[in-house]
């Protein structure tokens, strides 16, 4: 099997310091969390940025500041800004980080309920617009799919030429409004992928580590981080993103998967 690419989703847009003190808001806190994750074995940092008070933002300037500061501490890490941002942001707001010199970013592949009255909107035309901008800039998209219909949308858009092979997917499972994070959900999505695709799995909440283990065994890659799950085990808060990454590294070791460096991840994903 290929080496395992670990992505750390260190920040997100929804988790606050009321949930866990470890969630980073400021640039210094973001760098601290990125460094701990990188030193533990993460090849990719999935990046959201916040104002110092925790408000999510897609400001190009804030992303540029965070990326520069992370690169000083983790020079070779792959930084993957979010183009999902937070619920309610416009497409123009969300696309700002694609104007920077970046290797990768997310591309969200469908709309879903996001808890309570929230709807995370990604219409077909939004996805086409995002894909056009992302590919035009030579950026590798991570195709975020929250349920099977999103994979079907990617297949349709690939046929129409909006999405190119080789495709790299991320299944984000267990969102309140998306597909659940049971083993059979993961296996169904994995078996639905176009041939030759790579994939990573992000289990939200309690599904984070069971799905990480499943993906390690099935030849996929893994995303963990405080964006998705704040517990290191039932009822015990993780002290950092690094601690979550360390747990994946232990699982990988037990199952005989080696961990990919950022450069090895670039080769696996066809970046650069
Ligand atoms: N914060 C969610 C509404 C992404 O990063 O591309 C969207 C999200 C997806 O986190
Ligand atoms: Zn995200």
């Amino acid at each position: 099997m290929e080496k395992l690419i670990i992505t750390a989703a260190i920040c997100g847009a929804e988790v606050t310091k009321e949930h866990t003190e470890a969630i980073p808001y400021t640039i210094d806190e973001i760098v601290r969390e990125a460094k701990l994750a990188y030193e533990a074995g993460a090849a990719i940092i999935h990046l959201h940025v916040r104002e110092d008070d925790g408000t999510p933002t897609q400001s190009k300037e804030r992303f540029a500041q965070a990326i520069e500061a992370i690169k000083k501490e983790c020079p070779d890490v792959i930084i993957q800004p979010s183009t999902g941002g937070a619920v309610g942001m416009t497409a123009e707001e969300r696309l700002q980080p694609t104007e920077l010199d970046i290797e990768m970013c997310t591309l969200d592949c469908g709309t879903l309920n996001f808890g309570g009255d929230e709807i995370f909107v990604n219409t077909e035309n939004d996805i086409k617009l995002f894909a056009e901008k992302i590919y035009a800039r030579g950026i590798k998209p991570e195709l975020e799919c929250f349920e099977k219909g999103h994979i079907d949308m990617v297949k349709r858009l690939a046929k129409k030429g909006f999405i190119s092979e080789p495709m790299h997917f991320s299944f984000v499972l267990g969102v309140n409004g998306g597909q659940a994070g049971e083993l059979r959900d993961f296996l169904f999505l994995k078996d639905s992928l176009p041939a030759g695709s790579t994939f990573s799995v992000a289990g939200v909440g309690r599904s984070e580590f069971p799905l990480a283990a499943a993906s390690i065994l099935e030849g996929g890659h893994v995303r963990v981080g405080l964006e998705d799950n704040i517990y290191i085990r039932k009822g015990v808060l993780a002290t950092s993103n690094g601690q979550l990454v360390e747990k994946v590294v232990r699982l990988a070791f037990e199952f005989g998967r080696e961990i990919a460096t950022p450069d090895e991840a670039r080769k696996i994903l066809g970046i650069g």
Side-chain angles (χ1 to χ4, degrees):
M1 272 189 206
E2 272 168 343
K3 290 190 180 180
L4 178 72
I5 302 171
I6 303 176
T7 299
I10 60 173
C11 177
E14 291 82 23
V15 174
T16 68
K17 290 204 189 278
E18 277 82 63
H19 300 113
T20 174
E21 267 301 316
I23 197 81
Y25 291 167
T26 67
I27 300 292
D28 284 353
E29 289 170 345
I30 283 176
V31 172
R32 178 199 72 211
E33 287 303 306
K35 191 171 179 214
L36 289 169
Y38 167 74
E39 287 173 348
I44 302 177
I45 302 295
H46 169 65
L47 187 65
H48 289 250
V49 289
R50 311 275 190 104
E51 304 293 355
D52 284 351
D53 68 0
T55 308
T57 173
Q58 287 291 102
S59 150
K60 184 173 143 183
E61 291 70 33
R62 189 73 168 176
F63 266 109
Q65 227 187 330
I67 291 169
E68 193 189 340
I70 292 171
K71 286 259 153 129
K72 274 198 189 128
E73 296 296 329
C74 324
D76 62 336
V77 80
I78 300 168
I79 300 181
Q80 180 200 82
S82 167
T83 64
V87 167
M89 288 177 172
T90 64
E92 289 67 32
E93 262 180 294
R94 287 168 49 185
L95 278 164
Q96 289 179 78
T98 62
E99 292 163 25
L100 298 169
D101 184 16
I102 55 171
E103 296 176 276
M104 231 188 156
C105 68
T106 54
L107 169 52
D108 293 280
C109 298
T111 294
L112 70 155
N113 281 335
F114 221 72
D117 289 328
E118 309 263 86
I119 304 174
F120 182 35
V121 177
N122 298 285
T123 65
E124 178 179 6
N125 287 342
D126 288 335
I127 303 165
K128 287 178 178 170
L129 171 74
F130 278 57
E132 274 173 347
K133 300 255 183 220
I134 290 169
Y135 284 109
R137 300 268 307 147
I139 301 166
K140 173 84 180 184
E142 175 159 298
L143 304 165
E144 286 212 6
C145 294
F146 296 79
E147 46 117 319
K148 165 68 162 53
H150 298 180
I151 296 178
D152 297 331
M153 174 60 83
V154 170
K155 288 178 177 170
R156 271 196 296 277
L157 293 184
K159 266 197 197 136
K160 291 181 181 169
F162 287 92
I163 293 175
S164 313
E165 291 178 350
M167 299 178 218
H168 177 62
F169 288 81
S170 172
F171 309 146
V172 184
L173 298 180
V175 171
N176 177 12
Q179 188 160 341
E182 303 291 331
L183 186 57
R184 63 184 178 158
D185 297 298
F186 160 67
L187 293 173
F188 178 46
L189 296 197
K190 178 188 81 74
D191 291 342
S192 304
L193 291 181
S197 304
T198 49
F199 65 94
S200 182
V201 180
V204 172
R206 77 187 68 152
S207 64
E208 181 163 84
F209 290 110
L211 289 183
S215 195
I216 290 168
L217 286 168
E218 290 290 330
H221 304 283
V222 170
R223 175 175 120 177
V224 290
L226 296 171
E227 172 170 348
D228 302 328
N229 163 51
I230 60 175
Y231 294 102
I232 189 69
R233 63 181 60 81
K234 195 172 178 195
V236 182
L237 287 173
T239 55
S240 70
N241 281 282
Q243 198 188 24
L244 296 167
V245 173
E246 279 166 12
K247 185 161 171 173
V248 177
V249 171
R250 285 201 298 280
L251 289 172
F253 176 77
E254 293 301 339
F255 292 129
R257 283 280 300 270
E258 287 180 68
I259 307 300
T261 64
D263 275 345
E264 289 167 340
R266 285 182 178 91
K267 281 213 183 74
I268 294 167
L269 299 175
I271 296 176

